[in-house]
Each structure stands twice: as structure tokens, then as C-alpha cells.
């Protein structure tokens, strides 16, 4: 993962504060975010986190729930009192539903449970700052965007609303073709010839099957983006609110 990172309106990098009492976790997050172009500060406990927040005024905070001096919920309340607009991504080893609900109810914007992948943390954090209007990801070659759906062709990563979506190689190629031709109706013959590289000949069910797979991953519980144009084919459009 490499990149220029999101930028604020004044052109400076978005500022993020990483708060975790486990040195190894904190170090890997800090290294990853700096490599991605974020301006990063760090803290090992709640008291240090609040001091750092006063000093650097972060746009976003990655906040561990379990800290040695106070829990993350208490830190969050103090952060919100001083900067209501700051984005907060909770890190927690707790996976019980009530703990997740408590984090969101306390004012957290999102959460990731440990163990986590760096890609997931980065995707969720990018999603938070974009939705908050703090920054937009700097455009770069190989990044396709349709509404809240993004595909990084070089990294072969797909997110929607900041959430990572796992795709098989064929699903990825099908979605790439749809995204490159967003808002244009594509026939089953066009899709079959481009994605599967052979002439159309009674194999429409293959396209239909993989479109159904994509819908389950891209559109589930979200405004639908993959639409059927009866008698013609399919089109990808930004999901209606």
C-alpha cells in the first residue's frame, strides 16, 4: 500500500491520531499511515491522547477501547467536547454486539475488531474522512470511482462506503468492466466477450450468474448500483439515496 494520502482543503495532509497501549499495534499503524501520506501523531494512553489532541488538532482518531488509565469511551467524550467534528474509528478486541453498539452510541463513527487487516483500517478511515467532507482522496491512475464505490486496480481492492469488498478474480474483472463503462448499458454479449474472452453463443447464464454474485456483495443492504435494463443488458449507476 502506497499513496499520497487524503488532503485537506489547504493542501496539507489529513491529520490522524493513533491511540493504543500496545506498542506493536501502534507502531504498525503509524508506519502504514505515514507511508500512505497521512500526518500522524500517536499516544499510548488516554491522558497522552488528550494532550496530543490539544497539540495537533487531529481530523481523525484511531482509538483503542481498552487503555490503561481510562477507557476509549471516556477519551471520546473529552474529544467530542473539544472538537465535535473529529472522526473516530474504534479499535477493540471485544466482538460482542453490545460492545459495538456502546461504541457507536458513545459517538464513535465506526469500529474495527482485533485482529484486523491494515487494508480494512485504511479503507474505513478513508471512508470516514471523505464522508465527513474533511478531504477527498487524491486522484491517481488506476483508481475508479462511481458514487461511493471505489476500485484500486493496481492494488486490486474494492470498497463501497469505505467497506472492503472481497471479490474473486472473475468478479473483479466484471466489476472493472462495469465501472469503466459506468452509466452505459452493456449487453450480455459485450460483457461475455470482454470478461470471458469468447464469442456470445448461448452462454448468457454465465453473465447472469456472476451479476447475481456481484449484487450480493456490492448492493446488499445498500442502494442498488447494478441495474438490469430488460431486453438489453446491465448498467452500473451511483446508488440512489
Amino acid at each position: 500500500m502506497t499513496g499520497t494520502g487524503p488532503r485537506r482543503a489547504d493542501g496539507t495532509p489529513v491529520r490522524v491520531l493513533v491511540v493504543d497501549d500496545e506498542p506493536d499495534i501502534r507502531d504498525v499503524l503509524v508506519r502504514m499511515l505515514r507511508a500512505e501520506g497521512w500526518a500522524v501523531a500517536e499516544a499510548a494512553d488516554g491522558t497522552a491522547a488528550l494532550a496530543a489532541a490539544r497539540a495537533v488538532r487531529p481530523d481523525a482518531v484511531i482509538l483503542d477501547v481498552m487503555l490503561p488509565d481510562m477507557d476509549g469511551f471516556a477519551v471520546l467524550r473529552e474529544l467530542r467536547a473539544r472538537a465535535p467534528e473529529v472522526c473516530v474509528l474504534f479499535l477493540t478486541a471485544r466482538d460482542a454486539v453490545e460492545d459495538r453498539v456502546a461504541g457507536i452510541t458513545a459517538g464513535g463513527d465506526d469500529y474495527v475488531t482485533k485482529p484486523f487487516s491494515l487494508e480494512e483500517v485504511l479503507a474505513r478511515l478513508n471512508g470516514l474522512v471523505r464522508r465527513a467532507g474533511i478531504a477527498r482522496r487524491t486522484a491517481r491512475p488506476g483508481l475508479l470511482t462511481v458514487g461511493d464505490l471505489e476500485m484500486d486496480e493496481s492494488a486490486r481492492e474494492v470498497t463501497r462506503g469505505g467497506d472492503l469488498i472481497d471479490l474473486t478474480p472473475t468478479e473483479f474483472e466484471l466489476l472493472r468492466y462495469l465501472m469503466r463503462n459506468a452509466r452505459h448499458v452493456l449487453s450480455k454479449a459485450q460483457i461475455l466477450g470482454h470478461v470471458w474472452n469468447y464469442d456470445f453463443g448461448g452462454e448468457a447464464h454465465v453473465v447472469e450468474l456472476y451479476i447475481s454474485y456481484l449484487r450480493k456483495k456490492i448492493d446488499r443492504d445498500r442502494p442498488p448500483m447494478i441495474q438490469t435494463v430488460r431486453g438489453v443488458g446491465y448498467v452500473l449507476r451511483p446508488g440512489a439515496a
Side-chain angles (χ1 to χ4, degrees):
M1 297 179 297
T2 57
T4 57
R7 297 272 163 173
R8 295 162 53 87
D10 61 4
T12 59
V14 171
R15 300 185 294 265
V16 59
L17 171 62
V18 178
V19 185
D20 198 300
D21 63 321
E22 297 182 57
D24 291 344
I25 291 178
R26 192 172 66 251
D27 182 64
V28 74
L29 286 170
V30 168
R31 288 174 180 270
M32 180 268 292
L33 289 165
R34 284 179 177 158
E36 287 291 315
W38 297 64
V40 187
E42 59 182 296
D45 58 42
T47 302
L50 294 174
R54 286 192 294 270
V56 304
R57 299 180 64 186
D59 302 297
V61 180
I62 299 177
L63 180 59
D64 187 22
V65 170
M66 302 296 291
L67 295 171
D69 55 346
M70 64 179 78
D71 65 33
F73 303 142
V75 175
L76 175 61
R77 286 192 292 271
E78 290 289 334
L79 290 172
R80 285 276 189 246
R82 300 172 185 175
E85 73 283 356
V86 67
C87 297
V88 176
L89 175 66
F90 272 124
L91 295 181
T92 176
R94 302 171 175 178
D95 57 5
V97 172
E98 56 268 25
D99 291 323
R100 302 178 193 176
V101 172
I104 300 301
T105 302
D109 298 291
D110 204 350
Y111 64 88
V112 176
T113 56
K114 299 178 182 179
F116 52 79
S117 71
L118 293 178
E119 290 82 1
E120 181 182 11
V121 172
L122 184 62
R124 289 184 180 276
L125 196 60
N126 271 312
L128 288 181
V129 298
R130 286 198 303 276
R131 289 196 294 273
I134 295 168
R136 294 180 299 175
R137 187 195 298 269
T138 303
R140 64 180 187 271
L143 183 67
L144 302 176
T145 303
V146 180
D148 62 349
L149 180 66
E150 288 192 352
M151 171 181 285
D152 186 329
E153 295 180 287
S154 60
R156 297 189 70 83
E157 291 178 356
V158 174
T159 63
R160 184 163 182 195
D163 295 330
L164 276 174
I165 299 172
D166 293 324
L167 299 178
T168 67
T170 301
E171 291 166 351
F172 185 90
E173 292 304 321
L174 174 56
L175 182 61
R176 172 153 55 184
Y177 187 49
L178 292 172
M179 292 185 73
R180 285 180 172 178
N181 295 276
R183 301 177 179 83
H184 295 283
V185 179
L186 301 171
S187 69
K188 293 175 183 177
Q190 288 176 303
I191 295 171
L192 192 68
H194 184 88
V195 177
W196 282 269
N197 298 313
Y198 59 82
D199 293 334
F200 185 73
E203 299 293 340
H205 68 280
V206 174
V207 177
E208 294 166 1
L209 181 63
Y210 274 85
I211 287 288
S212 72
Y213 291 159
L214 266 188
R215 279 177 167 150
K216 290 177 182 177
K217 295 183 178 183
I218 300 298
D219 288 343
R220 176 172 288 177
D221 299 325
R222 297 179 171 100
M225 296 184 71
I226 303 172
Q227 300 170 18
T228 300
V229 180
R230 190 175 299 278
V232 183
Y234 303 97
V235 59
L236 182 76
R237 297 190 180 103

